[in-house]
Amino acid sequence: MQDKVVIVTGGSSGLGRATAELMIAEGARVVIADINGEAGEAVANAIGAEFVRTDVGDPMEVEALVSGTVARFGQLDVMCNNAGVIAIAPVLETTNEAFDHMVTVNFGGVFYGTRAAGRVMAEQGFGAIVNTASNGGCSPSEDMAVYSGTKAAVVALSKACAIELAPKGVRVNTISPGTMLTGMVPDVEGIVEVLDKLQPIGYAANPSQMAAGVLFLASDEGNYVTGHDLVIDGGATAGRRAVGV
Ligand SMILES: NC(=O)c1ccc[n+]([C@@H]2O[C@H](COP(=O)([O-])OP(=O)(O)OC[C@H]3O[C@@H](n4cnc5c(N)ncnc54)[C@H](O)[C@@H]3O)[C@@H](O)[C@H]2O)c1
């Protein structure tokens, strides 16, 4: 990733921060974009990134993020559309506001980011886009109907974009993480132990274990990989566990 220019949305926390840190360790120049200005500035200062406050649900802000990054660095090598939100609720109790927010950020944000970066990369003739989905997209969870739907949509969108952009030298892939201990995990006593037990591998992931997958998809080592959904979930969606009978 030496000297490559990388944008990471949702880079103030969790997987986005871990991705930004790993990219910088590999020699990249990284722009963190996040709606949380205070955390974004602090993280960017701590890890040696630049920060642009961005609401990925606003197409104009995403266009400005991408065009500003290209104006600053001259090119864009990697776009990680990673920002996401969740509202956990039974489907019958899910509000219009919660639906709109998840669709706008999780699906809209990935579309706006893929379109803006894709235009620049198609013009350059190179680039890699890595979109964050979830293993909930292919194996949905109770009380996460809308969230899971947005993540399935991210995978389908990315595969279609991969087909369209491959002849232009641009790769588009998704990463589908399983449960990670990040700001997205509800702050409930004992939750970590419960989440650990749900993973066949025995513990919920550290975001850095996902960032390694993002790095592979973004890097030249992955230069023949496009339209792929890389599931990293400790075996959680590999199949059913025995029920002991
Ligand atoms: N944590 C998990 O178990 C898990 C599992 C599968 C997938 N994911 C996905 O991983 C991605 C990263 O989540 P995380 O677990 O690191 O959570 P996190 O809450 O720690 O980080 C999400 C980041 O996105 C930012 N963000 C939220 N809305 C935004 C907006 N409108 N514009 C810009 N930034 C915004 C937040 O400020 C935050 O910094 C998300 O897409 C999430 O859906 C998480």
Side-chain angles (χ1 to χ4, degrees):
M1 301 305 297
Q2 192 61 46
D3 293 329
K4 292 205 170 170
V5 178
V6 179
I7 294 175
V8 183
T9 72
S12 302
S13 175
L15 174 55
R17 177 180 177 153
T19 300
E21 287 192 72
L22 184 56
M23 294 285 182
I24 288 169
E26 294 285 325
R29 295 169 285 173
V30 173
V31 175
I32 286 174
D34 204 288
I35 200 167
N36 186 337
E38 204 177 322
E41 291 285 1
V43 170
N45 286 338
I47 70 174
E50 300 206 358
F51 175 67
V52 179
R53 193 201 163 278
T54 310
D55 177 356
V56 299
D58 181 334
M60 302 301 287
E61 291 194 21
V62 176
E63 291 290 335
L65 165 70
V66 169
S67 60
T69 300
V70 174
R72 163 92 173 82
F73 293 105
Q75 65 191 63
L76 177 61
D77 296 280
V78 175
M79 180 80 184
C80 298
N81 293 301
N82 165 77
V85 291
I86 194 168
I88 297 172
V91 65
L92 303 186
E93 290 162 29
T94 299
T95 63
N96 295 342
E97 290 72 21
F99 171 84
D100 286 345
H101 191 211
M102 283 185 276
V103 170
T104 302
V105 176
N106 297 359
F107 188 46
V110 169
F111 168 63
Y112 302 139
T114 300
R115 184 178 59 181
R119 284 177 178 148
V120 167
M121 291 172 175
E123 183 75 24
Q124 293 172 163
F126 62 85
I129 298 171
V130 184
N131 294 330
T132 303
S134 166
N135 69 351
C138 59
S139 181
S141 300
E142 205 174 359
D143 295 345
M144 295 187 195
V146 176
Y147 176 81
S148 302
T150 63
K151 294 304 188 174
V154 164
V155 174
L157 170 82
S158 303
K159 286 179 188 268
C161 294
I163 298 165
E164 285 190 38
L165 298 180
K168 301 178 191 302
V170 182
R171 297 184 298 107
V172 186
N173 292 289
T174 49
I175 182 158
S176 278
T179 305
M180 293 181 283
L181 299 178
T182 67
M184 205 166 259
V185 171
D187 187 15
V188 178
E189 203 182 328
I191 185 114
V192 174
E193 290 71 22
V194 171
L195 293 177
D196 282 349
K197 283 197 194 121
L198 286 175
Q199 320 308 319
I201 216 163
Y203 63 95
N206 182 301
S208 64
Q209 293 172 296
M210 308 296 156
V214 177
L215 177 65
F216 169 69
L217 294 173
S219 73
D220 292 342
E221 276 72 22
N223 65 12
Y224 202 67
V225 183
T226 197
H228 184 65
D229 179 37
L230 178 58
V231 177
I232 304 182
D233 70 354
T237 52
R240 290 178 191 275
R241 305 184 75 181
V243 290
V245 291

